[in-house]
Amino acid sequence: MTNSETHWHETVLFLELDEEEPTQVKIADKVIALCKVADAVFAIDDICTHEHAFLSDGIIADGCVECPLHQALFDVKTGKALTPPALTDLKTYSTRIENGRVWVAI
C-alpha cells in the first residue's frame, strides 16, 4: 500500500447536513467541510486559504461557501477561490452517499 491510495471514510448522515451551513468533519489529520447543495454533497478543506478560519463557521449560498473572517467566496464544487482576499483554491475531495451516509475519499 502506498500513500497515494485513496481511502473512503464514513462521516455523517446526509439528512443531518444543512444547505446553508457547512458541517465540519475530521478524517485522520484533515479537517473537512461538507457542503450540501440540493441533493449533492461536496467536501473541501475546512481552512480558508487566506487566513486561518474554519469555513464550516461560514455560510453556503448559490453553490459557494463564504469565509466568516473576511468574506472570501469559494465554489464548493471546484474549490476555486472566487473573491479576494483569498487567491488560492481549496483542495476538494470526492464524495458519495451510501445508505444515507456521506463518504469522503482521502
Side-chain angles (χ1 to χ4, degrees):
M1 181 168 78
T2 65
N3 289 338
S4 63
E5 290 185 36
T6 299
H7 295 278
W8 287 93
H9 301 269
E10 184 178 0
T11 63
V12 299
L13 286 169
F14 179 75
L15 293 175
E16 292 177 347
L17 298 176
D18 187 315
E19 288 193 28
E20 296 178 358
E21 296 178 10
T23 298
Q24 183 183 86
V25 295
K26 294 179 182 173
I27 301 172
D29 62 343
K30 299 194 179 297
V31 182
I32 307 294
L34 299 178
C35 302
K36 181 179 180 183
V37 178
D39 291 332
V41 61
F42 301 93
I44 55 176
D45 276 338
D46 193 20
I47 306 294
C48 180
T49 58
H50 168 247
E51 262 187 50
H52 192 284
F54 289 116
L55 296 173
S56 56
D57 290 334
I59 60 168
I60 303 168
D62 300 322
C64 297
V65 63
E66 181 181 86
C67 177
L69 194 57
H70 294 114
Q71 291 70 51
L73 291 176
F74 297 90
D75 184 304
V76 299
K77 294 178 184 178
T78 65
K80 183 164 181 58
L82 301 174
T83 62
L87 303 174
T88 304
D89 298 343
L90 296 167
K91 182 167 176 55
T92 61
Y93 303 89
S94 296
T95 62
R96 71 180 189 222
I97 301 168
E98 186 176 299
N99 296 324
R101 296 198 77 88
V102 177
W103 291 73
V104 178
I106 301 288

